[in-house]
Every structure is written in structure tokens, then in C-alpha cells.
């Protein structure tokens, strides 16, 4: 396939060159506006990413173990780290450009700039050394202008990368969420293995084609170009804008300095991603305390840990709950109102424990839906085991519900325990996984019972 020549390679007329110089000279005011708008917009993105991740975690993910469960967290942390880098870059450009405007205005008032020979309260030697170190004001303004332009361009490199990563991840997530339930487990593992093999071959091929002795061979040149030009397919239309910026840097910065800069930026960005990933894990799981440890503090035993996310009176209306919640950490009523979350990932286990029977096709859709509702209600109450202290509920009367403005799906019931004691009590929820009585614990919620009388 022969690429079409780019319009940008056409020779500019003198009038176009003059217009380009005029636009370049006046670009600073647009930089200030763009930097301010992007800084405001970028600060809104992390909260939107958290809300989107919570929705995906509870409503779309059918697997939360291994790479399938880790990838959304990593992608979200990377995009949030990219937002912080963008904010810092545009803030730096905004401050530098504002300072540049101040210096330009000062030069307009005093065209002579700094007159070092007229500096008061100094010696002749001090004035001489200061002039040699500082230079003229107009030269400093030009250098500052170039630095502002470089920072602005580098910030947009991160903008393009962030957009590509976000759109690519969203596409993969929707593809995974749509295809995973349709593919039997026996076929899913070979598909994943094939995907990783292809990905590994691509990475190995990329390394081999970047070896100078290989890429300089005439018979490899065309394949080298076509191979790396395939990145256009996943660039979402941003390949040319991105390459214009990077190719300009690559063609002007010495190779050694370029490699050092890229290495430092990569290390700093990865460190920021790790920190953000750790913070996100702590936000999602309050038991994670990697950055804030205590000698005699542990959150690994549910019955010994008060998780605010397990109590209705400490939750927001638009948030998602954890595995289960009760009305409060201090209960004064002689009953316990219990909500058990039903995330999409729980379907993997429930489909094994309760395979759907074959319905009579002669029945109407309404009748089949009614039969399915009664059957699913029966299965839920058969599989979910609830106990308060040492008493097990044989029939917990769980009903289906949607909770809050997030419409989180789950089961709800009201327990009327007769063994509540003043002080600490505990509710335990588990899932019966086989006929022998083996159970998988879902949640353990401690609370205090303080009756009104």
C-alpha cells in the first residue's frame, strides 16, 4: 500500500509563511486559555473515573480474580496518574507563560531592558559577574518563550497518549463484557492463551526490528515501516498529531539526551502510577494499609474490623456498597435490616451452583418469567446462609432489590434474631457451595446492640 503524500509537505507561499509567523507570535494568549480550561477539566476526570470504575466493577465484570480483575484497576490508576501529570504540565506552562507576559510588558515599558552598569548598591565586580550570568532581558524572554512552547507540546503528548489508552481500554472492556458471557469456559482459556502469544510475538518483533543491524538492512526496511505504521490502527485518529510533536523533538534533541529524558519521565510516571494504584486499592478495600501501617492494627479478620462501608447510616446515596450492609453500627431496634450485594462477578459461581432448568416452551413469556422469578428466589434462599452470632437462619426470606441512585442490585431481608445481646454482635453471610455443607464466606459484619429501654 502506497501512502498518499501529506498536504503539509507542500511548499508554503510567502503569504502563508507570514501568516504562520503571525500566528506563532500570538500563540501565547491561546496557550493561557487552553491551559486554564484543560486544568479545570482534568481535575474533574479522576472523580468520573472512580464512578465509572465502580459501575464496571459491580455491573460488568464477570471475573474479579487474576488479570481480569486487576486490569481495570491498573487502567484506571494509569489514566488518573496521566490526569495528574497533565495538570502539573499545564499548570507549569500557565505559570511560565504568565511570567513571560509580565516580562514582555516590562520590556515594552523599558525597551533598554536591564542596565547592569546602573545597578545601585553593588560593586563594579558584582555588576560585571551578574551581567555575565543573567544576560539580557530580551534574550531571556526568547528562551522562556521556547521553554513554554516545549512544555505545552510535551503536555499534549500526554493528552494524546491518555486519549488513546482510555479509548482502547474502553473498547477492550466492552468487548470483554460482551463476549465473555457468550464463550464457554473450555474455549475461553485457549482464547486468552492465543491473545498473549500474539502479544508476546508483537513485543519480540518490536525489539528485533529496533536492532540497528536488522532495521538498516534494505530487505527489512519496507517491513519495518509497515510493521510500526500499524500503530495507526490503534491511534484513534491521533497518529499524525502525535507523531508531528514527537518527530520534531526526536529530530532536534541529541540521541543520548533524548534517551535519558525518556528514561527519567518513564520512571517518574511509573512511580506515580504505583502510588495511585496503591491509593485506589486503599479506597476500594479499607483493609489495605501499605502506606499507613500500625504495630497492633489489623484489618484481616472481618469480625474484628469496623468497615464504614458496611453500615447504611455511613454511606452516600449514590455510592456502591461492599459485600453486605446493615442499617447501622449501633442498632437500637430488635431487628437487623440486611442488604447483600449481587455483583456481576458472583454469577460465575451461582451459575455453577444453580443451573437454570429447561422451561416449557409452550408457556407464554409472562408465565415463563414468573416461573423463573419464583425459581431464582428459591435458589437464592437455598444457597445464601445467614447467621447472627451462633444462630443460623434456615430461611432468611431474601428478596430482590435495587439500591440507591446507582441502582446497585442485590438481596434484602429483615432479620428478627432472638439471641441479640447487649454489646457486640456479629452477622455472617456465606454461600453454600456444595451438598456437603461447604461454604464460601461473603461478609462478616460486627455491630453493637443497644436497646432503647
Amino acid at each position: 500500500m502506497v501512502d498518499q503524500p501529506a498536504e503539509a509537505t507542500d511548499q508554503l507561499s510567502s503569504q502563508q509563511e507570514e501568516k504562520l509567523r503571525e500566528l506563532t507570535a500570538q500563540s501565547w494568549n491561546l496557550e493561557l486559555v487552553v491551559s486554564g480550561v484543560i486544568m479545570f477539566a482534568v481535575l474533574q476526570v479522576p472523580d468520573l473515573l472512580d464512578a465509572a470504575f465502580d459501575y464496571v466493577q459491580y455491573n460488568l465484570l464477570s471475573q474479579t480474580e487474576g488479570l481480569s480483575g486487576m486490569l481495570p484497576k491498573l487502567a484506571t490508576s494509569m489514566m488518573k496518574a496521566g490526569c495528574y501529570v497533565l495538570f502539573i504540565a499545564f499548570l507549569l506552562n500557565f505559570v511560565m507563560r504568565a511570567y513571560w507576559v509580565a516580562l514582555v510588558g516590562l520590556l515594552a515599558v523599558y525597551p533598554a531592558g536591564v542596565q547592569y552598569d546602573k545597578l545601585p548598591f553593588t560593586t563594579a565586580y558584582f555588576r560585571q559577574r551578574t551581567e555575565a550570568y543573567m544576560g539580557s532581558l530580551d534574550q531571556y524572554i526568547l528562551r522562556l518563550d521556547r521553554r513554554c512552547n516545549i512544555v505545552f507540546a510535551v503536555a499534549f503528548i500526554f493528552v494524546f497518549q491518555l486519549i488513546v489508552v482510555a479509548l482502547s481500554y474502553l473498547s477492550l472492556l466492552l468487548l470483554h463484557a460482551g463476549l465473555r458471557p457468550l464463550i464457554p469456559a473450555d474455549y475461553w482459556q485457549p482464547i486468552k492463551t492465543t491473545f498473549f502469544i500474539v502479544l508476546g510475538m508483537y513485543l519480540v518483533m518490536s525489539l528485533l526490528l529496533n536492532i540497528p543491524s536488522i532495521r538498516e538492512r534494505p530487505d527489512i526496511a519496507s517491513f519495518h515501516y509497515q510493521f510500526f505504521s500499524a500503530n495507526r490502527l490503534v491511534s484513534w485518529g491521533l497518529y499524525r498529531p502525535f507523531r508531528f510533536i514527537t518527530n520534531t523533538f526526536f529530530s532536534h534533541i541529541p540521541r543520548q539526551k533524548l534517551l535519558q529524558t525518556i528514561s527519567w519521565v518513564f520512571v517518574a510516571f511509573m512511580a506515580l502510577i504505583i502510588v495511585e494504584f496503591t491509593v485506589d486499592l486503599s479506597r476500594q478495600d479499607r483493609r489495605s494499609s501499605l502506606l499507613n501501617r500500625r504495630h497492633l492494627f489489623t484489618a484481616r479478620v472481618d469480625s474484628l474490623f469496623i468497615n464504614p462501608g458496611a453500615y447504611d447510616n455511613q454511606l452516600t446515596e449514590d455510592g456502591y456498597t461492599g459485600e453486605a450492609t446493615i442499617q447501622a453500627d449501633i442498632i437500637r431496634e430488635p431487628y437487623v435490616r440486611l442488604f447483600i450485594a449481587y455483583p456481576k462477578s458472583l454469577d460465575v459461581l451461582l451459575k455453577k451452583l444453580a443451573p437454570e432448568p429447561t422451561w416449557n416452551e409452550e408457556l407464554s413469556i409472562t408465565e415463563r418469567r414468573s416461573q423463573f422469578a419464583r425459581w431464582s428466589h428459591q435458589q437464592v434462599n437455598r444457597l445464601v446462609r445467614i447467621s447472627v452470632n451462633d444462630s443460623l437462619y434456615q430461611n432468611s426470606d431474601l428478596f430482590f432489590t435495587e439500591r440507591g441512585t446507582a441502582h446497585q442490585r442485590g438481596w434484602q431481608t429483615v432479620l428478627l434474631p432472638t439471641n441479640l445481646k447487649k454489646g457486640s454482635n456479629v452477622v455472617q453471610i456465606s454461600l453454600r457451595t456444595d451438598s456437603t455443607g461447604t461454604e464460601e464466606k461473603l461478609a462478616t459484619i460486627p455491630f453493637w446492640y443497644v436497646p432503647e429501654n
Side-chain angles (χ1 to χ4, degrees):
M1 181 180 65
V2 179
D3 293 334
Q4 296 295 328
E7 296 179 1
T9 60
D10 295 341
Q11 190 70 26
L12 295 178
S13 64
S14 58
Q15 183 179 2
Q16 290 175 321
E17 291 180 351
E18 181 63 28
K19 184 64 175 179
L20 181 60
R21 284 194 294 267
E22 181 182 349
L23 291 174
T24 303
Q26 299 298 325
S27 65
W28 61 270
N29 48 6
L30 293 177
E31 286 185 28
L32 287 174
V33 174
V34 171
S35 296
V37 171
I38 291 182
M39 282 191 295
F40 174 79
V42 163
L43 288 180
Q44 318 304 316
V45 173
D47 290 338
L48 294 177
L49 287 174
D50 286 338
F53 172 75
D54 289 340
Y55 179 84
V56 169
Q57 183 77 11
Y58 285 96
N59 298 299
L60 294 181
L61 288 187
S62 58
Q63 291 281 352
T64 56
E65 302 293 334
L67 184 61
S68 298
M70 191 66 66
L71 184 59
K73 301 183 183 70
L74 287 173
T76 304
S77 299
M78 183 169 64
M79 286 187 281
K80 290 173 68 176
C83 290
Y84 299 142
V85 171
L86 283 181
F87 179 81
I88 294 172
F90 283 108
L91 177 63
L92 180 62
N93 175 76
F94 188 87
V95 173
M96 291 173 61
R97 184 57 75 180
Y99 178 56
W100 177 86
V101 172
L103 292 181
V104 169
L106 192 63
L107 185 63
V109 178
Y110 302 104
V114 181
Q115 302 180 40
Y116 291 98
D117 58 335
K118 295 183 179 181
L119 288 179
F121 316 116
T122 59
T123 64
Y125 178 79
F126 183 89
R127 291 194 291 269
Q128 180 182 0
R129 293 301 299 270
T130 300
E131 182 176 9
Y133 176 75
M134 299 287 292
S136 64
L137 178 59
D138 53 355
Q139 290 297 324
Y140 178 73
I141 290 176
L142 291 176
R143 291 197 302 271
L144 183 59
D145 179 62
R146 288 195 293 267
R147 289 191 176 94
C148 289
N149 292 332
I150 290 175
V151 170
F152 196 70
V154 170
F156 266 95
I157 289 179
F158 281 100
V159 169
F160 295 146
Q161 289 179 330
L162 183 62
I163 292 175
V164 169
V165 169
L167 293 178
S168 300
Y169 169 68
L170 181 61
S171 300
L172 289 175
L173 179 63
L174 293 177
L175 188 64
H176 181 276
L179 293 181
R180 178 62 186 91
L182 303 177
I183 300 176
D186 295 339
Y187 295 98
W188 182 247
Q189 188 60 40
I191 291 176
K192 288 201 304 183
T193 303
T194 304
F195 171 78
F196 286 117
I197 291 176
V198 173
L199 180 62
M201 292 175 60
Y202 174 81
L203 296 176
V204 171
M205 188 65 70
S206 300
L207 294 175
L208 292 176
L209 290 177
N210 274 313
I211 298 176
S213 59
I214 295 180
R215 70 170 179 239
E216 298 298 336
R217 291 175 52 180
D219 55 334
I220 298 295
S222 177
F223 177 73
H224 177 274
Y225 172 76
Q226 295 295 338
F227 181 83
F228 287 103
S229 294
N231 293 330
R232 302 174 189 175
L233 301 176
V234 293
S235 63
W236 298 96
L238 297 175
Y239 180 82
R240 182 171 291 182
F242 178 79
R243 295 303 298 179
F244 262 122
I245 296 178
T246 55
N247 287 343
T248 302
F249 282 128
F250 291 168
S251 60
H252 287 82
I253 300 176
R255 176 185 175 87
Q256 190 64 27
K257 183 178 180 180
L258 182 65
L259 292 176
Q260 291 178 354
T261 303
I262 292 177
S263 299
W264 279 109
V265 170
F266 178 77
V267 171
F269 188 57
M270 289 303 300
L272 182 60
I273 290 177
I274 293 173
V275 172
E276 179 60 35
F277 180 68
T278 304
V279 172
D280 286 342
L281 282 181
S282 301
R283 182 186 68 86
Q284 184 185 5
D285 185 1
R286 295 177 182 270
R287 302 172 187 181
S288 177
S289 57
L290 298 176
L291 301 179
N292 191 12
R293 293 183 178 274
R294 298 292 189 276
H295 174 53
L296 293 180
F297 182 91
T298 180
R300 299 303 178 186
V301 179
D302 291 348
S303 59
L304 302 177
F305 178 64
I306 299 296
N307 182 3
Y311 308 103
D312 294 340
N313 63 338
Q314 300 185 34
L315 294 173
T316 60
E317 180 67 16
D318 59 346
Y320 288 89
T321 70
E323 291 82 3
T325 64
I326 59 176
Q327 66 262 43
D329 53 341
I330 300 176
I331 294 179
R332 306 184 68 84
E333 308 88 357
Y335 63 84
V336 178
R337 186 175 63 248
L338 175 65
F339 171 81
I340 305 174
Y342 184 4
K344 180 68 175 176
S345 56
L346 198 58
D347 262 349
V348 177
L349 180 58
L350 292 180
K351 286 181 179 179
K352 296 179 180 179
L353 300 178
E356 184 176 350
T358 302
W359 307 106
N360 186 356
E361 296 295 335
E362 296 180 357
L363 297 176
S364 65
I365 296 178
T366 302
E367 291 176 334
R368 288 203 301 269
R369 287 176 177 174
S370 178
Q371 285 191 0
F372 177 80
R374 288 192 293 270
W375 172 81
S376 58
H377 177 262
Q378 179 186 9
Q379 298 304 310
V380 167
N381 284 278
R382 177 180 66 87
L383 295 173
V384 178
R385 312 296 293 272
I386 302 173
S387 62
V388 178
N389 296 329
D390 55 354
S391 296
L392 176 66
Y393 278 76
Q394 297 297 330
N395 186 5
S396 50
D397 287 330
L398 289 167
F399 290 87
F400 304 106
T401 185
E402 289 189 359
R403 176 190 180 93
T405 58
H407 301 286
Q408 183 179 5
R409 297 184 175 184
W411 307 295
Q412 183 171 319
T413 188
V414 174
L415 306 175
L416 301 173
T418 58
N419 62 335
L420 288 180
K421 57 184 179 179
K422 290 184 178 180
S424 61
N425 296 262
V426 64
V427 176
Q428 295 183 358
I429 304 100
S430 58
L431 201 64
R432 187 167 61 181
T433 57
D434 56 38
S435 58
T436 62
T438 304
E439 297 180 355
E440 178 176 326
K441 186 180 68 174
L442 296 180
T444 300
I445 307 175
F447 66 95
W448 287 272
Y449 176 55
V450 184
E452 294 181 355
N453 297 328

